Amino acid sequence: MTTRKDYYEILGVPRDATKEDIKKAYRKLVKQWHPDAYKGSDKKNAEEKFKEIQEAYEVLSDPQKRSMYDRFGYVGEPSYSGGKTSGNSGGFFEDIFGDFQDIFDVFFGGSRTAHSTRTHRSVKGEDIHATITVELKDTINGKITFLEYNRKATCNACNGTGAENGTSFSTCPRCNGTGTVTEEHRSFFGVFTNTHVCEACGGTGKIINKRCPACHGTGTVQERHRVRINIPPGVEDGATIRLAGQGNSGRYGGPNGDLYVRVRVSMPPYYRRSGNDILYTVEIDYTQAALGTVVKIPLPEGSYENLKIPAGTDPGTVFKLKGYGIPSMSSGRRGDILVTVKVKIPKPSLKEKKLLEELARTKGISR
């Protein structure tokens, strides 16, 4: 019977650790204890420690083995690939890390310059960015508008292949039609096979013999496209609306890119926006401030609302027109119009001066 070991303690994880926690701990320990990467002098101890880590990971990463271990404390003889810790250990590492890229990242903290892939992948089309301008009144109830723009669309003449009639191809001589080129990479781990996209055909495995006359071999043509845009109530200046799939055409069966529309809100010069409130300043004469008055306040929709200024209003007083501001995008509740009173005190005429002097004497105000 094998010696019973605490695999959780070996990997330094709690008994309720997730699969990702176990994998993360394992990768960290491998980087520390692999004999070929071990920095210390006791290589033999590192090799034994590394075997122990492998054994613990094989059990705890397998749901059935882990369940048995949790119940009985052992799972029988370990089946991991025992003592071979140097040379070509690629098969074991590929089971754990996925491919050479992960191994490279664990031990070197970097990435290769070549992009590894075994099949040619579809490519999403490029995104398009546009800007539209709406009036402030459009932010009150929202608005439906339309935008026309140029975008790349799949060429119907060649079905996006770039070849005349979609058939004028020959097998790529560089990759023999596979779309990939395989090269060997030697390191202190052994020999690794590095497969990357063929540069000659871009991964398609085919070379165009005769380019499509409609798209000149690009697989796409320019088209004028029109979309409907829903401007939501309360939209802020600079907000971005995303329309999925309305961008440029993808390649090799890939989806279209997206359209990102930036909204600019044109504010009247007498307004300022603060959240969902509108700030407005009204200027009145000092006699109006003293005696009281009624002023017309412009509303975002284009109409007016009367605001009563009571007698004796001080300069800088703020009045609130409740519910006449901009709607909240979340609740729909409208903000307010905050009206600040500015009192204008002009140089008095001769007649006004005499009246003011008389008023001052009446109030007992000395000059």
Side-chain angles (χ1 to χ4, degrees):
M1 182 179 295
T2 57
T3 303
R4 298 188 182 185
K5 303 175 183 178
D6 189 339
Y7 292 145
Y8 292 100
E9 183 178 348
I10 291 172
L11 294 184
V13 296
R15 300 190 73 84
D16 60 349
T18 65
K19 189 173 181 180
E20 285 302 314
D21 292 335
I22 292 170
K23 184 175 181 180
K24 184 178 180 181
Y26 174 77
R27 288 166 64 101
K28 182 178 179 181
L29 291 171
V30 165
K31 186 176 180 181
Q32 179 182 355
W33 290 102
H34 192 285
D36 290 337
Y38 182 64
K39 302 296 184 181
S41 57
D42 193 350
K43 294 287 186 180
K44 186 175 182 180
N45 177 58
E47 185 172 340
E48 292 301 321
K49 180 72 174 177
F50 184 71
K51 290 179 183 179
E52 199 173 54
I53 293 167
Q54 286 180 272
E55 179 182 338
Y57 179 80
E58 182 185 357
V59 172
L60 298 185
S61 64
D62 186 301
Q64 293 183 345
K65 292 181 180 179
R66 182 179 179 181
S67 177
M68 183 179 292
Y69 174 75
D70 288 341
R71 292 179 62 189
F72 305 111
Y74 69 96
V75 292
E77 293 292 337
S79 61
Y80 66 91
S81 53
K84 194 171 184 179
T85 57
S86 60
N88 188 0
S89 53
F92 167 75
F93 280 106
E94 286 178 5
D95 289 340
I96 306 304
F97 294 100
D99 57 19
F100 175 72
Q101 177 65 64
D102 284 342
I103 303 172
F104 193 94
D105 289 344
V106 168
F107 286 95
F108 297 99
S111 61
R112 297 165 297 160
T113 56
H115 298 281
S116 292
T117 181
R118 296 190 180 277
T119 58
H120 180 73
R121 296 180 180 179
S122 59
V123 180
K124 181 181 178 181
E126 300 92 349
D127 296 330
I128 295 176
H129 296 263
T131 300
I132 61 173
T133 300
V134 298
E135 301 295 327
L136 176 62
K137 62 182 180 181
D138 298 328
T139 68
I140 304 303
N141 299 313
K143 179 182 180 180
I144 300 297
T145 188
F146 293 88
L147 176 67
E148 288 192 1
Y149 58 97
N150 292 326
R151 71 171 185 175
K152 294 178 182 177
T154 301
C155 176
N156 292 326
C158 65
N159 293 321
T161 64
E164 187 176 42
N165 299 322
T167 59
S168 184
F169 294 106
S170 62
T171 301
C172 174
R174 174 82 170 95
C175 64
N176 295 320
T178 64
T180 59
V181 176
T182 301
E183 298 174 345
E184 286 190 346
H185 175 84
R186 296 182 178 274
S187 74
F188 57 77
F189 291 117
V191 180
F192 296 92
T193 300
N194 179 22
T195 302
H196 60 84
V197 175
C198 176
E199 300 91 346
C201 64
T204 63
K206 300 176 181 178
I207 298 294
I208 297 176
N209 293 329
K210 194 172 183 181
R211 296 185 182 277
C212 172
C215 66
H216 307 290
T218 63
T220 61
V221 293
Q222 287 282 352
E223 73 168 7
R224 192 67 176 171
H225 190 59
R226 188 171 187 257
V227 294
R228 167 177 163 152
I229 302 175
N230 179 26
I231 305 298
V235 66
E236 294 189 15
D237 182 61
T240 299
I241 299 174
R242 172 177 171 265
L243 283 79
Q246 299 297 329
N248 289 313
S249 173
R251 298 179 62 194
Y252 313 120
N256 282 15
D258 302 326
L259 172 65
Y260 290 88
V261 181
R262 187 182 184 193
V263 180
R264 301 306 306 265
V265 179
S266 178
M267 294 282 289
Y270 44 80
Y271 278 154
R272 286 190 301 115
R273 180 171 178 172
S274 177
N276 294 322
D277 294 331
I278 294 175
L279 308 183
Y280 180 77
T281 299
V282 62
E283 186 177 76
I284 61 176
D285 188 80
Y286 70 98
T287 56
Q288 292 175 307
L291 301 174
T293 187
V294 175
V295 294
K296 289 184 178 294
I297 306 300
L299 302 181
E301 296 93 327
S303 57
Y304 290 87
E305 181 69 15
N306 290 328
L307 174 65
K308 183 178 180 180
I309 307 294
T313 295
D314 293 325
T317 300
V318 178
F319 294 92
K320 180 187 293 186
L321 290 178
K322 192 171 182 60
Y324 286 98
I326 300 171
S328 166
M329 290 189 66
S330 57
S331 66
R333 187 178 65 85
R334 291 184 66 168
D336 308 319
I337 296 181
L338 304 179
V339 182
T340 301
V341 176
K342 181 179 179 182
V343 178
K344 181 180 179 181
I345 305 177
K347 184 177 179 180
S349 65
L350 186 60
K351 183 178 180 180
E352 289 175 328
K353 185 176 180 181
K354 289 180 179 180
L355 292 173
L356 290 172
E357 289 174 345
E358 181 64 27
L359 177 62
R361 284 193 296 269
T362 302
K363 297 177 65 68
I365 299 175
S366 60
R367 296 179 58 190

